[in-house]
Coordinates of all heavy atoms in Angstrom, one line a residue:
V200 N 8.5 -7.4 -15.9 CA 9.4 -7.9 -15.0 C 8.7 -8.2 -13.7 O 8.7 -9.3 -13.0 CB 10.7 -7.2 -14.7 CG1 11.5 -7.6 -13.5 CG2 11.6 -7.3 -16.0
S201 N 7.9 -7.2 -13.3 CA 7.1 -7.3 -12.0 C 6.1 -8.3 -12.0 O 5.6 -8.7 -11.1 CB 6.6 -6.0 -11.6 OG 5.6 -5.5 -12.4
S202 N 5.7 -8.8 -13.3 CA 4.7 -9.8 -13.3 C 5.2 -11.2 -13.2 O 4.4 -12.1 -13.2 CB 3.9 -9.7 -14.7 OG 3.3 -8.4 -14.8
T203 N 6.5 -11.4 -13.2 CA 7.1 -12.7 -13.2 C 7.0 -13.3 -11.8 O 7.1 -12.6 -10.7 CB 8.6 -12.7 -13.6 OG1 9.3 -11.9 -12.7 CG2 8.7 -12.1 -14.9
R204 N 7.1 -14.7 -11.7 CA 7.2 -15.3 -10.4 C 8.4 -15.1 -9.7 O 8.5 -15.0 -8.4 CB 6.9 -16.9 -10.6 CG 5.5 -17.3 -11.0 CD 5.3 -18.7 -11.2 NE 4.1 -19.0 -11.7 CZ 2.9 -19.1 -11.1 NH1 2.9 -18.9 -9.8 NH2 1.7 -19.3 -11.6
A205 N 9.5 -14.9 -10.4 CA 10.8 -14.7 -9.7 C 10.8 -13.4 -9.0 O 11.3 -13.2 -8.0 CB 12.0 -14.6 -10.9
F206 N 10.1 -12.4 -9.5 CA 9.9 -11.0 -9.0 C 9.2 -11.2 -7.7 O 9.5 -10.6 -6.6 CB 9.3 -10.1 -9.9 CG 9.3 -8.7 -9.4 CD1 10.4 -7.8 -9.4 CD2 8.2 -8.2 -8.8 CE1 10.2 -6.5 -8.9 CE2 7.9 -6.9 -8.3 CZ 9.0 -6.1 -8.3
A207 N 8.2 -12.0 -7.8 CA 7.2 -12.3 -6.6 C 8.1 -12.9 -5.5 O 7.7 -12.7 -4.3 CB 6.1 -13.1 -7.0
R208 N 9.1 -13.7 -5.8 CA 9.9 -14.4 -4.7 C 10.8 -13.4 -4.0 O 11.0 -13.4 -2.8 CB 10.6 -15.5 -5.4 CG 9.8 -16.7 -5.4 CD 10.6 -18.0 -5.8 NE 11.3 -17.9 -7.1 CZ 10.8 -18.3 -8.2 NH1 9.6 -18.7 -8.3 NH2 11.5 -18.2 -9.3
F209 N 11.5 -12.6 -4.9 CA 12.5 -11.6 -4.2 C 12.0 -10.3 -3.8 O 12.5 -9.7 -2.8 CB 13.8 -11.6 -5.1 CG 13.8 -10.5 -6.1 CD1 14.1 -9.2 -5.8 CD2 13.4 -10.9 -7.4 CE1 14.2 -8.3 -6.9 CE2 13.4 -10.0 -8.4 CZ 13.7 -8.6 -8.1
A210 N 11.1 -9.7 -4.6 CA 10.6 -8.3 -4.3 C 10.1 -8.0 -2.9 O 10.5 -7.0 -2.2 CB 9.7 -7.9 -5.3
P211 N 9.4 -9.0 -2.4 CA 8.8 -8.7 -1.0 C 9.9 -8.5 0.1 O 9.7 -7.9 1.1 CB 7.9 -9.9 -0.7 CG 7.5 -10.5 -2.0 CD 8.8 -10.2 -2.8
H212 N 11.1 -9.1 -0.2 CA 12.2 -9.0 0.8 C 13.1 -7.8 0.5 O 13.6 -7.2 1.4 CB 13.0 -10.3 0.7 CG 12.1 -11.5 0.9 ND1 11.6 -11.9 2.1 CD2 11.8 -12.4 0.0 CE1 10.9 -13.0 2.0 NE2 11.0 -13.3 0.7
V213 N 13.1 -7.4 -0.8 CA 14.1 -6.4 -1.2 C 13.6 -5.1 -1.1 O 14.1 -4.0 -0.7 CB 14.8 -6.7 -2.5 CG1 15.7 -5.6 -3.0 CG2 15.6 -8.1 -2.4
V214 N 12.3 -4.8 -1.9 CA 11.8 -3.5 -2.1 C 11.4 -2.9 -0.8 O 11.7 -1.7 -0.7 CB 10.5 -3.7 -3.1 CG1 9.9 -2.3 -3.3 CG2 11.1 -4.2 -4.5
P215 N 10.6 -3.5 0.1 CA 10.3 -2.8 1.4 C 11.5 -2.4 2.1 O 11.5 -1.2 2.7 CB 9.4 -3.8 2.1 CG 8.9 -4.7 1.1 CD 10.0 -4.8 0.0
A216 N 12.5 -3.2 2.2 CA 13.8 -2.9 3.0 C 14.4 -1.6 2.4 O 14.8 -0.6 3.2 CB 14.7 -4.0 3.0
M217 N 14.5 -1.6 1.1 CA 15.1 -0.4 0.5 C 14.2 0.9 0.6 O 14.8 1.9 0.9 CB 15.2 -0.6 -1.1 CG 16.4 -1.7 -1.4 SD 16.6 -2.1 -3.1 CE 15.8 -0.9 -4.1
D218 N 12.9 0.6 0.6 CA 12.0 1.9 0.7 C 12.2 2.3 2.1 O 12.2 3.6 2.3 CB 10.6 1.5 0.4 CG 10.2 1.7 -1.0 OD1 10.9 2.6 -1.6 OD2 9.1 1.3 -1.4
R219 N 12.2 1.5 3.1 CA 12.3 2.0 4.5 C 13.6 2.7 4.8 O 13.6 3.8 5.4 CB 12.2 0.8 5.5 CG 10.9 0.1 5.8 CD 11.0 -0.9 6.9 NE 9.7 -1.6 6.9 CZ 9.6 -2.8 6.2 NH1 10.6 -3.3 5.6 NH2 8.4 -3.5 6.2
A220 N 14.8 2.3 4.2 CA 16.0 2.9 4.4 C 16.0 4.3 3.7 O 16.4 5.2 4.3 CB 17.1 2.0 3.8
V221 N 15.6 4.4 2.5 CA 15.4 5.6 1.7 C 14.6 6.6 2.5 O 14.9 7.8 2.6 CB 15.1 5.5 0.3 CG1 14.9 6.8 -0.4 CG2 16.2 4.6 -0.4
H222 N 13.4 6.1 2.9 CA 12.5 7.0 3.6 C 13.1 7.5 4.8 O 12.9 8.7 5.2 CB 11.2 6.2 3.9 CG 10.1 6.9 4.5 ND1 9.8 7.0 5.8 CD2 9.1 7.6 3.8 CE1 8.7 7.8 6.0 NE2 8.3 8.2 4.9
R223 N 13.8 6.7 5.6 CA 14.4 7.2 6.9 C 15.5 8.2 6.6 O 15.6 9.1 7.2 CB 14.9 5.9 7.6 CG 15.4 6.2 8.9 CD 15.8 4.9 9.8 NE 16.3 3.8 9.0 CZ 15.6 2.7 8.8 NH1 14.4 2.6 9.2 NH2 16.1 1.8 8.1

Side-chain angles (χ1 to χ4, degrees):
V200 169
S201 71
S202 296
T203 66
R204 291 184 188 275
F206 184 84
R208 279 193 296 276
F209 84 84
H212 307 287
V213 175
V214 175
M217 289 177 17
D218 267 342
R219 280 187 198 98
V221 170
H222 188 262
R223 194 171 27 255

